[in-house]
Amino acid sequence: MFPANLMAPHVGQRGTKLSPRLWARLIETQLTPDGGAAGSLLMDDFVSFPNVVATTAGDQVQPPNGYFAYIEADATPGSIKQDDDEPSSITLTTSFDTADGENHDTVLVSNGNTGVLGMISDAVDDAKLLICEFRFKLPSVANNDGSIFLGLGEEGLAAANTPIQNAGSHDISSDDVIGFFIKETDRDQLSFVYRKAGSPLQEVMDYPVALVADTWYNVGFIYDPNAEASKRIKVFVNNEEQSTYVTADQIAASTFPDGEEMALVAAIKASANNDPQSVKLDFWSFYQAG
């Protein structure tokens, strides 16, 4: 689907490219013999991303570049802006009001917030290879500097209180989601989670290495319906396969968003620390076989 030079031999601080262990099977893939679709691919490194700033009182939505942004406006406006010092990355910054301090969202989703990219399904006709990856950086890993979600979510999530809820410690809202979560109460802990709307949140993995501020991380996962049942979804951090997996039995359970149509989601919700919070995003990428 794309040439090998988009791959990086190492990830993390070495460059802004895709992780080979996630994407190697797609290198130099050609069109199918009959001209049919080989799959759906979305990759954006945000080099030409238009800035989006909340400038009005209340909530503001504005679509950048065919995507959809939800940014709550307040005394200190939130924004999604291309970085001056790193033009291939964007920063999602929350709005902030010293009167209430928290619960302000900045969310970026693909497909205009109403369309979808694909699904994870164990149904025979819909069980297709899916790959998803993000590259992000935290300016701070101090507690109460915001909750963050990077992954896939059901359509329409770029709205108030989703995919990170207002209640409690800003946990994942009761929607169909799968991806990486950093909770405001433990900001150096990266977790991989999923949820079927209306069911309890399922935490698959806690990354064993504490996150470090101002450090790039590549995070991604692969759903392979042909993999062994104990490893249907593999999770990767900085090109390293993690030792905890999502199994076929877990996908078949009622707590997994099996067969739910989803799109890419990047979100941060502010905490009450008397300052706006932010997360940097260098690229996001998604593929599902046709």
Side-chain angles (χ1 to χ4, degrees):
M1 299 299 294
F2 38 76
N5 62 3
L6 285 179
M7 301 293 176
H10 302 283
V11 291
Q13 307 320 298
R14 292 297 188 95
T16 64
K17 299 182 182 180
L18 302 169
S19 298
R21 289 193 173 99
L22 278 88
W23 299 94
R25 69 179 69 191
L26 301 184
I27 297 176
E28 309 293 2
T29 298
Q30 303 301 314
L31 295 176
T32 57
D34 62 359
S40 298
L41 174 67
L42 186 156
M43 178 185 173
D44 198 339
D45 61 1
F46 306 116
V47 170
S48 59
F49 192 88
N51 292 341
V52 186
V53 182
T55 57
T56 61
D59 301 334
Q60 176 180 346
V61 293
Q62 186 173 347
N65 240 14
Y67 297 151
F68 188 93
Y70 176 90
I71 307 170
E72 289 189 281
D74 221 318
T76 302
S79 64
I80 303 177
K81 292 183 176 181
Q82 193 171 47
D83 296 324
D84 294 333
D85 56 339
E86 296 176 287
S88 69
S89 67
I90 57 175
T91 296
L92 284 68
T93 303
T94 62
S95 61
F96 189 83
D97 186 342
T98 55
D100 54 34
E102 57 182 330
N103 296 340
H104 300 301
D105 301 275
T106 297
V107 186
L108 180 68
V109 301
S110 66
N111 301 75
N113 197 40
T114 57
V116 299
L117 282 173
M119 69 174 72
I120 297 173
S121 174
D122 56 6
V124 174
D125 293 339
D126 297 321
K128 300 176 181 180
L129 176 71
L130 182 149
I131 308 173
C132 182
E133 186 176 19
F134 295 77
R135 188 169 187 262
F136 76 96
K137 179 194 289 188
L138 300 178
S140 166
V141 293
N143 289 349
N144 298 318
D145 271 358
S147 291
I148 294 164
F149 175 77
L150 304 171
L152 301 178
E154 64 180 81
E155 63 270 34
L157 282 191
N161 309 329
T162 57
I164 305 172
Q165 64 188 11
N166 280 348
S169 59
H170 295 168
D171 212 331
I172 298 294
S173 57
S174 185
D175 300 289
D176 297 312
V177 294
I178 181 169
F180 296 88
F181 183 52
I182 300 169
K183 185 181 291 189
E184 64 179 42
T185 53
D186 196 1
R187 280 268 298 183
D188 63 357
Q189 177 64 70
L190 176 71
S191 300
F192 186 74
V193 302
Y194 63 81
R195 186 175 213 154
K196 169 69 176 176
S199 297
L201 183 70
Q202 305 296 307
E203 186 172 308
V204 178
M205 178 213 72
D206 285 334
Y207 185 51
V209 180
L211 298 179
V212 178
D214 201 31
T215 300
W216 286 109
Y217 293 92
N218 282 62
V219 294
F221 61 94
I222 298 175
Y223 166 57
D224 185 350
N226 296 316
E228 57 187 292
S230 61
K231 298 181 179 181
R232 286 292 163 83
I233 296 179
K234 296 179 180 180
V235 182
F236 295 81
V237 179
N238 286 345
N239 200 39
E240 293 295 332
E241 183 177 330
Q242 302 303 294
S243 59
T244 307
Y245 306 87
V246 179
T247 69
D249 286 344
Q250 288 173 309
I251 293 174
S254 61
T255 53
F256 188 88
D258 186 5
E260 297 294 338
E261 295 180 326
M262 293 190 282
L264 287 167
V265 180
I268 179 170
K269 185 181 288 285
S271 309
N273 76 343
N274 297 316
D275 202 19
Q277 290 110 44
S278 63
V279 58
K280 289 180 176 286
L281 192 62
D282 185 54
F283 72 73
W284 63 8
S285 52
F286 173 93
Y287 170 81
Q288 183 150 48

